[in-house]
Amino acid sequence: MSLAGPDPFFPRLAPQVERLIDLALEEDLGPGDVTTQALIPPEQEGVAHIRAKETLVVAGLPVAARVFARVSPALRFLPRVAEGEEVGPGTVLAEVAGPVAPILTAERTALNFLMRLSGIATYTRRLVALLRETPVALVDTRKTTPGWRLLEKYAVRLGGGANHRFGLFDGVLIKNNHLTAVGSVAEAVRRARARVHRLLRVEVEVSTLTELKEALEAGADLILLDNMDEDTLAEAVRLTAGRALLEASGGMTPERLLRVAATGVHFISMGALTHSAPAVDLHLRLLR
């Protein structure tokens, strides 16, 4: 699923992103910006810069642009850098020009989107760099902020990571609770094969080598190796012998990534890419 249409800075954003922007503005603005309304005459014009205060990977400019446009169509948003670009402290990310009052009203909501999404892209880029000499792909999970999944997964891609399934609808992932309810790996895979579209990949979560063997015998396409140490992961790769793709997950930290990659798995998934990435530091300064 894409974030935006062909225009990169005033795009037709996906409907769920438009709804999120509306909710964020409603939350912050309420019935009106009482401070700005009291201090700034509507005819006053100005220019503001959004600057980085640290090294970061830029993500979210189209969303910030849309926030300013939603508050006032009279505002002009001019990006100075590209999405996915790594920039240093002091870099101007964008210029906003027009009536001062709506610039100040939209400021915090626009920065919140930029800081959060750039934080995810920055953190992802740092971890992907650790794996650059390996063939392993770093992927995200569904552990996203409710309502933000499209944006957060977009930021992961800008950081160089890959997206796992977007939701419950675009891939079968048989997890431990499914297995408890169904009774066995073999029966769960059989039901999935019989009842879902044949183009959907069937993935099974396993936590032991015995379960791995069951999943292989059942014909799973992809097997998630949950919370296994490196020795067990390496043995799982040996036992699989290319019969399925393997994803390592659970307890992943930056310090473990290279050791896990060395076991021979195809994917490493990290919920931390979206649920624990720190926001970056940005500010907006009015120049005149």
Side-chain angles (χ1 to χ4, degrees):
M1 301 180 73
S2 64
L3 173 69
D7 182 338
F9 293 107
F10 284 96
R12 292 175 298 159
L13 294 179
Q16 56 265 54
V17 178
E18 297 281 8
R19 292 196 298 270
L20 186 60
I21 290 171
D22 286 343
L23 181 63
L25 287 171
E26 177 185 339
E27 175 182 69
D28 200 37
L29 185 55
D33 178 355
V34 294
T35 306
T36 299
Q37 289 171 355
L39 300 180
I40 310 298
E43 67 276 7
Q44 183 173 343
E45 299 269 324
V47 175
H49 282 173
I50 298 173
R51 289 183 184 271
K53 296 179 72 175
E54 61 181 287
T55 299
L56 58 89
V57 176
V58 180
L61 289 173
V63 185
R66 188 61 176 157
V67 170
F68 285 108
R70 188 67 62 84
V71 173
S72 173
L75 293 177
R76 301 179 299 282
F77 185 93
L78 178 65
R80 294 288 188 85
V81 295
E83 288 279 272
E85 184 176 343
E86 185 170 324
V87 302
T91 302
V92 176
L93 306 189
E95 178 179 294
V96 189
V100 170
I103 292 176
L104 301 183
T105 296
E107 172 186 355
R108 175 43 51 201
T109 299
L111 290 181
N112 283 350
F113 279 110
L114 279 172
M115 292 167 68
R116 173 70 180 146
L117 297 177
S118 296
I120 291 171
T122 302
Y123 185 58
T124 302
R125 182 75 58 86
R126 179 165 72 86
L127 298 186
V128 167
L130 298 176
L131 296 171
R132 63 182 176 272
E133 301 298 328
T134 79
V136 177
L138 184 65
V139 302
D140 56 23
T141 72
R142 288 169 43 243
K143 295 177 182 178
T144 54
T145 308
W148 280 67
R149 184 169 296 167
L150 179 62
L151 291 177
E152 291 181 347
K153 283 180 171 282
Y154 164 76
V156 167
R157 295 197 306 275
L158 286 177
N163 294 152
H164 206 292
R165 60 178 183 159
F166 185 82
L168 297 173
F169 53 86
D170 60 342
V172 175
L173 176 47
I174 302 168
K175 297 178 71 67
N176 56 357
N177 284 329
H178 295 112
L179 295 175
T180 299
V182 171
S184 72
V185 171
E187 177 61 14
V189 173
R190 187 195 68 77
R191 291 186 193 180
R193 291 284 188 213
R195 296 172 182 174
V196 303
H197 195 285
R198 63 181 179 276
L199 293 181
L200 285 180
R201 187 166 59 182
V202 174
E203 180 174 8
V204 183
E205 176 184 280
V206 303
S207 56
T208 69
L209 295 178
T210 299
E211 290 177 339
L212 168 68
K213 293 174 184 176
E214 290 181 55
L216 289 170
E217 291 170 5
D221 302 306
L222 176 60
I223 301 173
L224 188 155
L225 307 171
D226 188 43
N227 283 301
M228 293 184 179
D229 62 29
E230 286 84 343
D231 289 341
T232 308
L233 288 170
E235 179 61 12
V237 171
R238 189 191 69 79
L239 289 171
T240 300
R243 288 178 285 169
L245 296 172
L246 296 177
E247 171 188 345
S249 186
M252 293 302 163
T253 63
E255 294 73 27
R256 282 194 73 200
L257 285 180
L258 271 178
R259 298 197 305 271
V260 172
T263 65
V265 297
H266 303 91
F267 307 101
I268 298 174
S269 57
M270 286 187 69
L273 296 181
T274 51
H275 70 59
S276 295
V280 298
D281 199 1
L282 303 169
H283 66 197
L284 180 147
R285 287 292 180 265
L286 195 65
L287 304 182
R288 55 179 172 82

